[in-house]
Amino acid sequence: MAPWWARSLRARVTLIATAVAALVLIPVGIVGVVAGRSMVTASVFGQTRDAAERVAFEMRGGSLPTGAAIPVPIPSVDLIQVVGPGGRLMASSDAARNLPPLSDVRPTAGNRIVNTTTCLPTECVHLTAVRVSLFDDSPVVYAGRSTPEVLSTRILEVVVFGEVALLIALAGWATWLVTGRALRPVATMRTELDAVHAGDLSHRVIEPPGDDEVAQLARSINGTLARLEHSAEQQRQFASDASHELRTPIAGLRAQLESAQLYPDDTDIEALVDSALRDTDRLEAIISDLLLLARIGSRVDVVKEPVDLADLVRQELAVRSDKLPVQTDLTEGVMVEGVRLQLARVLTNLLDNAQRHAEQTVRVEVGREPGPGAGTGAGTGAGTAVLAVENDGVEISVGDRERIFERFTRLDAARDRDSGGTGLGLAIARDVALAHRGQICVEDCAGGARFVLRLPAVDRQPR
């Protein structure tokens, strides 16, 4: 079983935020401690140096009598001694009167000021040694003060890292609260999604206000649910339509067989067989189209090949026996990458549809549309291949131009003339177009209906 923090996004985010805060604040704390110590040390040595310089200046001017108590120029620097050659104590402040020499460090003529630390029997001292003159026997002034507690103990580190630990804890706590608040809508959406089931896809999750990632997620979930609901409704409608379409020939076949069973002497066996075969053919056609719809788009890339649309049209027309003549306007060399049998099925379905609805003429066109920016020298590829099938029959209204591509859809005006079709031809054409990254639609034309298939064109030649 995974640890608790691995099962909670909130916990993982909090741990990450805490780790980041630690990685940032701990180095900052170390730098702060070092900088603080350096600033305090510099301030202490600045005071001791100023005090030693003043005493040395008074000695050079002769205003400081030898043997007398040295007045303290800076109250915090109370340990002052003047030491002559050989370590002889010449003068001192009251606080340093009974102390041995504060240090044995003697500045040189080239470096007449030296900062140092030393430890006496009772305390440690920060002090500055200043050489009074450049002569070899020059006395040295020592001015010092007790080492501040912030330097002599670890109190600075304790305070700084205590604050760092507090800030890290606050960062983790704040992240926990903020993350919980941010993920609360997600938990609500999860609960609402758990209530959705296949029998009722009408439920939607609550969309939080704003346009952040959570709001976008809620809109995406609702969009997905809407598509699922629409798809489920289509599946139910398809199942209902398919059942109706299959029931009609089965009912007709059953009625004929029952009639033959009841009245065997009055039954024309040859007519019965012919009628039964027609119903069987219709059943077979519907089932074959349903199986084709189920297969379209599955592993299409495995059997794709370059197809010349003009050659495809010529081959298809050569094996057809249509009642109306088919006029052609074919542009040579318009190549697409696709499944030849499926593209031929699209052409067959469009021609069958045109032959059923045409008055006198059916027309097939193959052409190419240039891609965006053609002629500008930018290079746009092969453009778009266009296959159009047109008839001079009844024009399709704008409101029906999308509906006719749905399965088992027939326009009311065409039901009487649409005998022999399964109601799946245009649905198959649309699914094949989508599986080949193209589209099929109905466009305006001068009297009649015009179906246009557009596919990505390629430059390859047929094999």
Side-chain angles (χ1 to χ4, degrees), residues 58-102:
E58 292 178 0
M59 288 194 65
R60 286 194 295 271
S63 60
L64 185 66
T66 304
I70 300 175
V72 177
I74 298 176
S76 61
V77 184
D78 57 346
L79 301 176
I80 300 176
Q81 290 179 343
V82 178
V83 179
R88 181 173 58 89
L89 188 63
M90 300 174 58
S92 65
S93 64
D94 290 337
R97 183 178 302 277
N98 298 322
L99 295 176
L102 296 176

Side-chain angles (χ1 to χ4, degrees), residues 284-324:
E284 184 178 6
I286 294 174
I287 294 173
S288 297
D289 285 350
L290 291 175
L291 291 175
L292 177 60
L293 282 170
R295 289 197 302 265
I296 291 175
S298 61
R299 300 182 63 81
V300 169
D301 294 337
V302 177
V303 291
K304 276 187 175 180
E305 60 179 314
V307 178
D308 187 325
L309 290 183
D311 183 60
L312 182 69
V313 171
R314 282 191 292 266
Q315 292 182 11
E316 180 64 24
L317 293 178
V319 297
R320 292 177 62 90
S321 298
D322 294 318
K323 64 178 181 178
L324 296 176

Side-chain angles (χ1 to χ4, degrees), residues 313-346:
V313 171
R314 282 191 292 266
Q315 292 182 11
E316 180 64 24
L317 293 178
V319 297
R320 292 177 62 90
S321 298
D322 294 318
K323 64 178 181 178
L324 296 176
V326 178
Q327 301 176 3
T328 60
D329 181 9
L330 309 179
T331 300
E332 301 296 332
V334 179
M335 305 292 299
V336 297
E337 189 85 7
V339 183
R340 190 179 190 89
L341 290 177
Q342 292 185 5
L343 295 176
R345 180 60 183 271
V346 172

